[in-house]
mmCIF file of all heavy atoms in Angstrom:
data_model
loop_
_atom_site.group_PDB
_atom_site.id
_atom_site.type_symbol
_atom_site.label_atom_id
_atom_site.label_comp_id
_atom_site.label_asym_id
_atom_site.label_seq_id
_atom_site.Cartn_x
_atom_site.Cartn_y
_atom_site.Cartn_z
ATOM 1 N N HIS J 44 0.149 6.202 -38.291
ATOM 2 C CA HIS J 44 -0.365 5.340 -39.358
ATOM 3 C C HIS J 44 0.718 4.566 -40.102
ATOM 4 O O HIS J 44 0.403 3.676 -40.885
ATOM 5 C CB HIS J 44 -1.162 6.176 -40.364
ATOM 6 C CG HIS J 44 -2.300 6.932 -39.742
ATOM 7 N ND1 HIS J 44 -3.373 6.296 -39.165
ATOM 8 C CD2 HIS J 44 -2.525 8.262 -39.587
ATOM 9 C CE1 HIS J 44 -4.217 7.199 -38.693
ATOM 10 N NE2 HIS J 44 -3.722 8.403 -38.936
ATOM 11 N N THR J 45 1.976 4.892 -39.901
ATOM 12 C CA THR J 45 3.051 4.217 -40.623
ATOM 13 C C THR J 45 4.071 3.673 -39.643
ATOM 14 O O THR J 45 4.118 4.071 -38.476
ATOM 15 C CB THR J 45 3.744 5.181 -41.599
ATOM 16 O OG1 THR J 45 4.320 6.264 -40.847
ATOM 17 C CG2 THR J 45 2.764 5.726 -42.618
ATOM 18 N N ASN J 46 4.905 2.790 -40.131
ATOM 19 C CA ASN J 46 5.978 2.251 -39.306
ATOM 20 C C ASN J 46 7.189 3.179 -39.417
ATOM 21 O O ASN J 46 8.178 2.870 -40.078
ATOM 22 C CB ASN J 46 6.334 0.832 -39.745
ATOM 23 C CG ASN J 46 5.205 -0.138 -39.496
ATOM 24 O OD1 ASN J 46 4.512 -0.039 -38.474
ATOM 25 N ND2 ASN J 46 5.001 -1.074 -40.410
ATOM 26 N N GLY J 47 7.078 4.337 -38.791
ATOM 27 C CA GLY J 47 8.127 5.337 -38.893
ATOM 28 C C GLY J 47 9.110 5.247 -37.756
ATOM 29 O O GLY J 47 9.202 4.256 -37.039
ATOM 30 N N TYR J 48 9.870 6.308 -37.569
ATOM 31 C CA TYR J 48 10.926 6.336 -36.584
ATOM 32 C C TYR J 48 10.617 7.399 -35.543
ATOM 33 O O TYR J 48 9.840 8.327 -35.762
ATOM 34 C CB TYR J 48 12.280 6.605 -37.244
ATOM 35 C CG TYR J 48 12.190 7.574 -38.384
ATOM 36 C CD1 TYR J 48 12.169 8.944 -38.171
ATOM 37 C CD2 TYR J 48 12.086 7.095 -39.690
ATOM 38 C CE1 TYR J 48 12.049 9.816 -39.220
ATOM 39 C CE2 TYR J 48 11.966 7.979 -40.751
ATOM 40 C CZ TYR J 48 11.955 9.338 -40.508
ATOM 41 O OH TYR J 48 11.824 10.215 -41.549
ATOM 42 N N GLU J 49 11.241 7.243 -34.403
ATOM 43 C CA GLU J 49 11.031 8.146 -33.293
ATOM 44 C C GLU J 49 11.835 9.427 -33.483
ATOM 45 O O GLU J 49 13.016 9.384 -33.827
ATOM 46 C CB GLU J 49 11.454 7.458 -31.994
ATOM 47 C CG GLU J 49 11.176 8.271 -30.741
ATOM 48 C CD GLU J 49 11.614 7.530 -29.492
ATOM 49 O OE1 GLU J 49 12.847 7.298 -29.352
ATOM 50 O OE2 GLU J 49 10.752 7.180 -28.655
ATOM 51 N N LEU J 50 11.197 10.574 -33.255
ATOM 52 C CA LEU J 50 11.859 11.870 -33.335
ATOM 53 C C LEU J 50 11.924 12.497 -31.954
ATOM 54 O O LEU J 50 10.953 12.462 -31.197
ATOM 55 C CB LEU J 50 11.107 12.815 -34.277
ATOM 56 C CG LEU J 50 11.075 12.461 -35.757
ATOM 57 C CD1 LEU J 50 10.217 13.462 -36.513
ATOM 58 C CD2 LEU J 50 12.487 12.427 -36.332
ATOM 59 N N GLN J 51 13.063 13.064 -31.619
ATOM 60 C CA GLN J 51 13.194 13.842 -30.397
ATOM 61 C C GLN J 51 12.807 15.278 -30.715
ATOM 62 O O GLN J 51 13.425 15.936 -31.548
ATOM 63 C CB GLN J 51 14.627 13.796 -29.876
ATOM 64 C CG GLN J 51 14.819 14.561 -28.582
ATOM 65 C CD GLN J 51 16.204 14.359 -27.994
ATOM 66 O OE1 GLN J 51 16.746 13.259 -28.040
ATOM 67 N NE2 GLN J 51 16.775 15.410 -27.438
ATOM 68 N N LEU J 52 11.777 15.783 -30.027
ATOM 69 C CA LEU J 52 11.214 17.086 -30.365
ATOM 70 C C LEU J 52 11.775 18.218 -29.518
ATOM 71 O O LEU J 52 11.766 19.369 -29.967
ATOM 72 C CB LEU J 52 9.691 17.049 -30.218
ATOM 73 C CG LEU J 52 8.957 15.998 -31.055
ATOM 74 C CD1 LEU J 52 7.455 16.137 -30.875
ATOM 75 C CD2 LEU J 52 9.326 16.104 -32.520
ATOM 76 N N THR J 53 12.220 17.946 -28.297
ATOM 77 C CA THR J 53 12.808 18.984 -27.459
ATOM 78 C C THR J 53 14.323 18.881 -27.487
ATOM 79 O O THR J 53 14.886 17.895 -27.961
ATOM 80 C CB THR J 53 12.265 18.903 -26.028
ATOM 81 O OG1 THR J 53 12.255 17.530 -25.599
ATOM 82 C CG2 THR J 53 10.855 19.449 -25.964
ATOM 83 N N ASP J 54 14.995 19.907 -26.964
ATOM 84 C CA ASP J 54 16.395 20.120 -27.296
ATOM 85 C C ASP J 54 17.409 19.384 -26.443
ATOM 86 O O ASP J 54 18.611 19.542 -26.633
ATOM 87 C CB ASP J 54 16.715 21.620 -27.281
ATOM 88 C CG ASP J 54 16.425 22.264 -25.924
ATOM 89 O OD1 ASP J 54 16.247 21.522 -24.936
ATOM 90 O OD2 ASP J 54 16.387 23.499 -25.868
ATOM 91 N N GLY J 55 16.962 18.594 -25.467
ATOM 92 C CA GLY J 55 17.899 17.770 -24.718
ATOM 93 C C GLY J 55 18.718 18.502 -23.686
ATOM 94 O O GLY J 55 19.735 17.983 -23.223
ATOM 95 N N HIS J 56 18.297 19.701 -23.265
ATOM 96 C CA HIS J 56 19.086 20.473 -22.316
ATOM 97 C C HIS J 56 18.372 20.726 -20.998
ATOM 98 O O HIS J 56 18.934 21.349 -20.115
ATOM 99 C CB HIS J 56 19.491 21.817 -22.934
ATOM 100 C CG HIS J 56 20.377 21.685 -24.123
ATOM 101 N ND1 HIS J 56 21.624 21.099 -24.072
ATOM 102 C CD2 HIS J 56 20.208 22.051 -25.417
ATOM 103 C CE1 HIS J 56 22.181 21.112 -25.264
ATOM 104 N NE2 HIS J 56 21.339 21.682 -26.096
ATOM 105 N N SER J 57 17.142 20.271 -20.855
ATOM 106 C CA SER J 57 16.368 20.549 -19.650
ATOM 107 C C SER J 57 15.507 19.334 -19.339
ATOM 108 O O SER J 57 15.633 18.281 -19.966
ATOM 109 C CB SER J 57 15.479 21.788 -19.857
ATOM 110 O OG SER J 57 16.233 22.902 -20.282
ATOM 111 N N VAL J 58 14.622 19.498 -18.361
ATOM 112 C CA VAL J 58 13.611 18.486 -18.089
ATOM 113 C C VAL J 58 12.327 18.967 -18.747
ATOM 114 O O VAL J 58 11.698 19.925 -18.301
ATOM 115 C CB VAL J 58 13.423 18.286 -16.574
ATOM 116 C CG1 VAL J 58 12.278 17.323 -16.290
ATOM 117 C CG2 VAL J 58 14.716 17.762 -15.956
ATOM 118 N N ASN J 59 11.949 18.328 -19.868
ATOM 119 C CA ASN J 59 10.854 18.771 -20.728
ATOM 120 C C ASN J 59 9.760 17.707 -20.740
ATOM 121 O O ASN J 59 10.040 16.537 -20.982
ATOM 122 C CB ASN J 59 11.362 18.998 -22.151
ATOM 123 C CG ASN J 59 12.559 19.934 -22.191
ATOM 124 O OD1 ASN J 59 12.509 21.044 -21.676
ATOM 125 N ND2 ASN J 59 13.662 19.479 -22.801
#
Side-chain angles (χ1 to χ4, degrees):
H44 303 295
T45 61
N46 294 322
Y48 37 82
E49 185 180 65
L50 294 176
Q51 182 173 321
L52 302 184
T53 44
D54 59 15
H56 296 299
S57 306
V58 175
N59 307 306

